[in-house]
Amino acid sequence: MFPQPMSWSEPRVDDLNPLAQPDLVQALEQQIAARFPPGLALDLVLNELVVRAATATRARSAALALKRGDDMVCRAATGEHAPDLGIPLNTRDGLSGACLRTHQSQLCLDTETDPRVDAAASRRLGIRSMLIVPVLEGEELVGVLEVFATDPAEFVDSDQNLLEIFAREVSRIRRAALELEQRPVPAIPPAQMLQPFSMGQSSPLQKTRAPYEIWTLILGTLAILLAVALSFMIGSRVGWLGLSSRGAHNPLPLPAADSVKGSTPAAARAKQPTGGSDSTAKAASDDKAGGLVVYDRGKVVFRIKPAAGPSAQKTGDTAPGGSARVWLAPELAESRLRQRSEPQYPADALAAHRTGDVVLEVLVGADGSVASTRPVSGDPLLVAAAADAVRTWRYEPYRVQGRPAEFQTDVTLKFSLPD
């Protein structure tokens, strides 16, 4: 047996349901007093009423169509299955047409079996059940209020009673809108315009934050501050904050063209392995000195320190006159060697059978002579002999930007007992 039309319930005193409170009329008065066009203010309030109707009946969508001339046009809607605003309602047939002809509520338990409903269209929209009630002003029908569900048999008699309450509320709001258009109302402060109003509140003007919202804001702010501080600490450790002010403001002199062979970055002052020179030249900033470092196959082959400053002159990082001092890899420095003498084996070391390597840090002057030496490693009995021999060496003068310049390098001498 197919569902029958549902009779219209007579208004009762207990119809003043909390789901349809009079605050909607108050909200309408506020919007019109705030100089909103009456039509826009009425649409805002009716949209809130449709949302409340969908919530009260547990519907997935809801719509309100009101009479405009000879047509019935959608005035407010909510949910994905509701028609678009301004769409004319089909008043000739279907469930809406039956409601308009009979002025009675219409219930469809299942769109697949109800002959009053276009099953194919409902299937495309995903609707399986619906409830439609008329909006009456006296004996005249001025609109219909509809709710839709995606499952069959979603609506019962109690849902019809609730929806009829909302339909009567639509009539009351329309009458209030007509009265407000005909009489002047005092303006309200701009701060009270379009204040949100929700179901179950007697006044839409007051809204306080729940405690959990305040704690959420506080915790969110603390999390953001912690993330910024952590990023700042990590950036400071890995050098994201840029070079030192000395390295940023003092331009570095470029090395001579013959001092750069081929390079790849790696640890500084390590021995360069033998092999071809098929690597790519690459310059990098010296983290400690702020100067320029050139690598070849993972080894430092060239280093230039920054121009002189007050602290650099005290530590001897620059040559006399304030020019930058260059450090060359041992292999490059050895290729510039023009005069070399071998060290004499010390008698004490020979008698004690001392052998091994002696590493000296050598400062070569602008004229190519050895200006000074400093022991880096080696047997103390062998260091003096190695230093005496290296001081007699002569190098090809090194030039930076066409001018003679000092350079530093490491020299390794091997001491082995004679056969």
Side-chain angles (χ1 to χ4, degrees):
M1 182 177 64
F2 297 117
Q4 299 298 319
M6 305 175 70
S7 60
W8 178 263
S9 303
E10 293 298 328
R12 299 187 306 272
V13 177
D14 58 357
D15 280 349
L16 296 177
N17 192 287
L19 299 175
Q21 293 183 6
D23 62 349
L24 292 178
V25 173
Q26 295 177 12
L28 179 65
E29 294 176 354
Q30 293 165 8
Q31 309 311 324
I32 295 179
R35 300 295 186 268
F36 275 86
L40 175 59
L42 179 60
D43 285 340
L44 292 174
V45 174
L46 291 178
N47 185 76
E48 171 66 15
L49 182 141
V50 169
V51 172
R52 294 184 181 186
T55 303
T57 58
R58 305 173 309 281
R60 295 296 297 271
S61 305
L64 171 66
L66 294 178
K67 194 172 182 180
R68 181 185 296 172
D70 295 332
D71 295 328
M72 195 71 68
V73 179
C74 181
R75 191 73 176 267
T78 182
E80 58 181 336
H81 306 294
D84 294 331
L85 297 180
I87 298 296
L89 194 67
N90 181 10
T91 59
R92 294 186 302 273
D93 50 21
L95 213 61
S96 300
C99 181
L100 292 173
R101 290 191 301 271
T102 63
H103 291 196
Q104 291 182 350
S105 300
Q106 303 292 324
L107 172 64
C108 173
L109 295 177
D110 193 344
T111 58
E112 295 292 335
T113 60
D114 196 324
R116 300 170 299 171
V117 179
D118 186 344
S122 299
R123 197 178 301 119
R124 286 194 302 269
L125 296 174
I127 298 174
R128 287 297 300 272
S129 57
M130 64 180 72
L131 173 62
I132 303 178
V133 300
V135 178
L136 300 173
E137 289 186 359
E139 297 297 326
E140 181 185 4
L141 188 145
V142 296
V144 292
L145 183 58
E146 310 176 2
V147 288
F148 309 96
T150 55
D151 295 323
E154 279 290 307
F155 303 114
V156 294
D157 292 344
S158 60
D159 296 320
Q160 178 198 352
N161 294 332
L162 285 173
L163 205 58
E164 289 174 355
I165 294 174
F166 284 108
R168 285 190 281 272
E169 187 74 2
V170 172
S171 300
R172 193 174 68 89
I173 292 173
R174 280 170 48 89
R175 289 194 301 270
L178 293 175
E179 294 176 1
L180 290 174
E181 289 181 8
Q182 297 173 0
R183 62 182 174 89
V185 240
I188 62 173
Q192 297 180 0
M193 296 181 185
L194 282 176
Q195 292 292 331
F197 45 89
S198 59
M199 190 176 353
Q201 291 182 346
S202 59
S203 174
L205 302 179
Q206 302 295 330
K207 183 177 180 181
T208 58
R209 292 187 180 273
Y212 74 90
E213 293 180 343
I214 298 175
W215 280 109
T216 300
L217 291 175
I218 295 175
L219 294 177
T221 304
L222 291 177
I224 293 174
L225 293 177
L226 181 61
V228 171
L230 185 61
S231 300
F232 182 83
M233 293 173 60
I234 296 176
S236 302
R237 294 294 300 273
V238 300
W240 291 347
L241 301 182
L243 300 175
S244 62
S245 58
R246 182 182 67 177
H249 296 288
N250 293 337
L252 300 176
L254 297 176
D258 61 350
S259 66
V260 181
K261 300 300 182 186
S263 55
T264 48
R269 293 200 174 194
K271 281 191 176 182
Q272 178 183 0
T274 59
S277 58
D278 56 347
S279 58
T280 313
K282 180 177 180 182
S285 296
D286 189 335
D287 293 337
K288 294 183 178 180
L292 184 70
V293 181
V294 179
Y295 303 87
D296 183 21
R297 294 183 177 276
K299 310 299 178 185
V300 177
V301 297
F302 177 86
R303 179 186 290 119
I304 183 170
K305 297 183 178 180
S311 60
Q313 292 176 354
K314 293 180 182 179
T315 59
D317 286 342
T318 57
S323 60
R325 178 169 294 165
V326 175
W327 186 91
L328 295 183
E331 291 79 3
L332 290 178
E334 187 175 359
S335 66
R336 309 183 70 86
L337 189 59
R338 296 293 176 262
Q339 178 181 331
R340 175 188 178 117
S341 59
E342 299 300 326
Q344 297 294 325
Y345 215 114
D348 294 343
L350 191 60
H353 298 278
R354 300 290 183 85
T355 60
D357 295 345
V358 175
V359 180
L360 301 175
E361 184 181 76
V362 178
L363 172 62
V364 179
D367 58 353
S369 63
V370 176
S372 64
T373 61
R374 185 180 67 85
V376 177
S377 64
D379 194 313
L381 295 178
L382 304 175
V383 167
D388 291 341
V390 170
R391 290 193 189 97
T392 64
W393 292 5
R394 299 281 298 185
Y395 289 85
E396 177 183 347
Y398 188 78
R399 294 180 178 274
V400 175
Q401 296 180 340
R403 300 174 58 186
E406 297 180 345
F407 69 88
Q408 288 179 322
T409 188
D410 289 345
V411 173
T412 303
L413 297 177
K414 297 181 180 293
F415 286 83
S416 58
L417 295 174
D419 297 334

